[in-house]
Amino acid sequence: MSDSSSIAVTRFAPSPTGHLHIGGARTALFNWALARRLGGHFLLRIEDTDQLRDTGRESVLGILKGLSWLGIDWDEGPAPDLEADRDPRSVAPFYQSQRLDLYTERLNQLLEADLAYHAFETPEELTAMRDEAKREKRAFKYDGRALNIPRQERFDRAASGESCVVRFRAPNEEIVVPDNVLGDVHIAPGELDDFVIRKADGFPTYHFAVVVDDELMGVTHVVRGQEHLANTPRHVALQKALGFRTPRYAHLPLIVNPGGGKMSKRDKDKAVRKACRENNITEPPAGSCDPAEFTAWIKDKNRQLNQRDLSALAVALNVELPEIDVEDFRAAGYLPEVVANYIALLGWSPGDDIEKFDMAFLAERFDTSRIGKTGARFDYKKLAAFNNDAIAELSDESFADRWWSWCAEFDPELLASIDAGAAINDRFRMLAAATKPRCKTFRDGAIGSAFLSLSTKDIAYDEKAVAKVLMKNDGEGLDTLRAFATELESCSTWTPEAIHELVGSFATRNEIGMGKIAQPLRVAITGSTVSPPIDATLAVLGRDETLARISRCLSAHGAAA
Ligand code: GLU
């Protein structure tokens, strides 16, 4: 294969949707890795010729941010902060909307050579033609009827401003797509239709812009999803007509969700719909989402709720939304190096039973010949297990630093509750050391520490825990709690070590297990029987707050402190 070309150029060409979908992230990662392994260039191009879409700064920034988070850097393209382009080889601009003259020039070239033509059918006429094909149970293919209009007349009508598109005159010959994953893909003569290359609004279609850009930007390898395979014969035909080179292609297998369907943002909608069905929710919980929107959505299972209402509803119903975009994984507290590692395995493997690797390994070993042909299943459990392992391998210090940064963005209340909002402190480091062995993600750790940010009066005692841990055997647990509280009050050094000692000596003196003290303490402090190790938990919570929570618990359950 031609992976050995000396000036390999690969590209990632997202449409500015604001989000980097996990599939897009994989495409970017593979293109990046291929360019790195071949010592070439990886470039970023923004495909913003669809005027109906939002093409604002935010929608590009979201994508750049996702790439940067994963550790994917690009040699050419918009700068990560959009302040300037990265352009060592001067193939700028990188926004298709700024390249319209370049497309017009090539388009005129095709029109003059009679390899493309203006067509004047209105959208209604085209719809009627499509409907007719449907009735006759045949695939719709534009029949070239505009060519019945004399050539000069077509040019004159277009020049006079009549609304028209430009169609490519598809060659009646076999087309071969060179693909490193699927082998050569042959398309029989007559299969292609005269597809549109310039829309009525004057913008090039995706097919035309992509072909012109790949040539002008020197792209040698195109790695992209299999959903584009049906487009590629059109691109190859256009390349030939324009006298361009055909890059090597590698079409990636689809990423499927655990249920076997296409992994898409619809999965989020489905998760919330399921929760509504299971809980018989027929109107939105107060303040969660617009009632009219909700009603329309719940009645029509093909309808999708907008992102904001969906998130609000998910929070109100306590539904965990499946992660789909890179940003979702970041917010869920996965480590970027783990996400990058995991998505590299979606359709690719380095062989030799190797599963865990870093970006440097990928840059050295990535090869399109090891890409699979069939769907790659996204296994959330496996990703969580990878993340768990990676967290376990971090030093306490590094975990604390990284978790702190995550909390600063996603859980500032937790930091504020232990005075770590402005800067990392010893209390946070203590909490981090106790949390690290028991969390799969940063969010997991934050959930396990949520009791810290409760105010004392808001602690809700779990009924079962109270019955079992405090009330059983005539309030044995409550008695232990009261007795131990007195010892805690006179404890002068408030460190995990000192608290550990105190629990140990109390247990020995009273001939009980440490759990008999730790569990009542947990219920008093968190309302439940779950918390990090009790010594660290009390140490992080602080002396005054610990004693206040114990006192409240004792009085709430009928025992004076
Ligand atoms: N802009 C296209 C997309 O977002 C990518 C086109 C390509 O890779 O050729 O799917």
Side-chain angles (χ1 to χ4, degrees), residues 11 13-15 47 206 210 222 224 228:
R11 62 12 173 226
S15 305
E47 307 216 319
Y206 153 69
V210 138
V222 173
R224 65 185 177 197
H228 284 293

Side-chain angles (χ1 to χ4, degrees), residues 2-21:
S2 62
D3 277 7
S4 57
S5 152
S6 58
I7 40 150
V9 177
T10 67
R11 62 12 173 226
F12 178 51
S15 305
T17 55
H19 304 285
L20 182 58
H21 180 271

Side-chain angles (χ1 to χ4, degrees), residues 268-530:
K268 296 186 186 178
D269 212 84
K270 284 189 193 147
V272 179
R273 217 175 253 287
K274 185 162 166 256
C276 287
R277 205 174 44 238
E278 287 172 357
N279 298 301
N280 260 329
I281 309 280
T282 50
E283 46 191 65
S288 64
C289 108
D290 178 62
E293 265 296 310
F294 179 88
T295 311
W297 171 75
I298 203 88
K299 276 194 195 142
D300 177 1
K301 70 178 191 323
N302 293 320
R303 201 180 162 108
Q304 286 194 58
L305 210 53
N306 65 66
Q307 188 74 34
R308 194 178 40 86
D309 282 345
L310 196 67
S311 307
L313 203 51
V315 171
L317 298 176
N318 204 8
V319 178
E320 267 194 42
L321 294 177
E323 294 88 7
I324 304 292
D325 294 321
V326 167
E327 181 58 18
D328 299 334
F329 291 95
R330 193 172 83 83
Y334 287 92
L335 301 173
E337 64 270 31
V338 173
V339 177
N341 178 176
Y342 184 70
I343 61 179
L345 294 172
L346 294 171
W348 181 78
S349 87
D352 304 328
D353 286 332
I354 299 171
E355 277 202 313
K356 302 220 173 130
F357 46 79
D358 60 11
M359 296 290 270
F361 175 93
L362 198 61
E364 201 175 292
R365 294 279 289 268
F366 182 76
D367 179 356
T368 52
S369 69
R370 294 195 61 89
I371 294 174
K373 292 188 179 55
T374 53
R377 196 172 292 255
F378 197 100
D379 183 346
Y380 284 94
K381 289 204 180 98
K382 184 164 174 170
L383 171 65
F386 269 33
N387 209 61
N388 195 34
D389 295 349
I391 283 182
E393 277 168 27
L394 293 177
S395 66
D396 280 3
E397 197 181 356
S398 158
F399 175 78
D401 289 339
R402 295 179 71 172
W403 189 35
W404 185 86
S405 301
W406 183 89
C407 289
E409 197 174 351
F410 296 103
D411 196 355
E413 295 83 13
L414 174 60
L415 298 186
S417 72
I418 51 173
D419 299 325
I424 193 162
N425 60 9
D426 286 347
R427 274 168 93 185
F428 186 81
R429 286 198 186 281
M430 221 159 17
L431 177 68
T435 299
K436 184 174 137 282
R438 37 183 33 241
C439 70
K440 288 195 171 80
T441 60
F442 290 147
R443 186 155 69 194
D444 243 18
I447 292 170
S449 310
F451 66 92
L452 288 166
S453 34
L454 290 174
S455 72
T456 310
K457 66 176 179 18
D458 290 337
I459 294 167
Y461 305 104
D462 177 75
E463 272 179 40
K464 277 193 196 143
V466 169
K468 185 171 167 220
V469 175
L470 299 181
M471 298 309 197
K472 222 167 91 181
N473 300 336
D474 290 333
E476 198 177 74
L478 222 45
D479 291 343
T480 307
L481 188 60
R482 192 179 32 240
F484 189 66
T486 322
E487 305 217 354
L488 273 179
E489 270 167 32
S490 50
C491 174
S492 52
T493 26
W494 201 262
T495 60
E497 296 75 20
I499 294 167
H500 186 82
E501 280 260 343
L502 205 61
V503 173
S505 70
F506 185 89
T508 317
R509 265 182 284 125
N510 292 282
E511 296 180 355
I512 53 173
M514 306 241 271
K516 290 274 185 232
I517 309 162
Q519 288 302 71
L521 281 170
R522 282 202 173 91
V523 175
I525 278 158
T526 70
S528 77
T529 51
V530 190

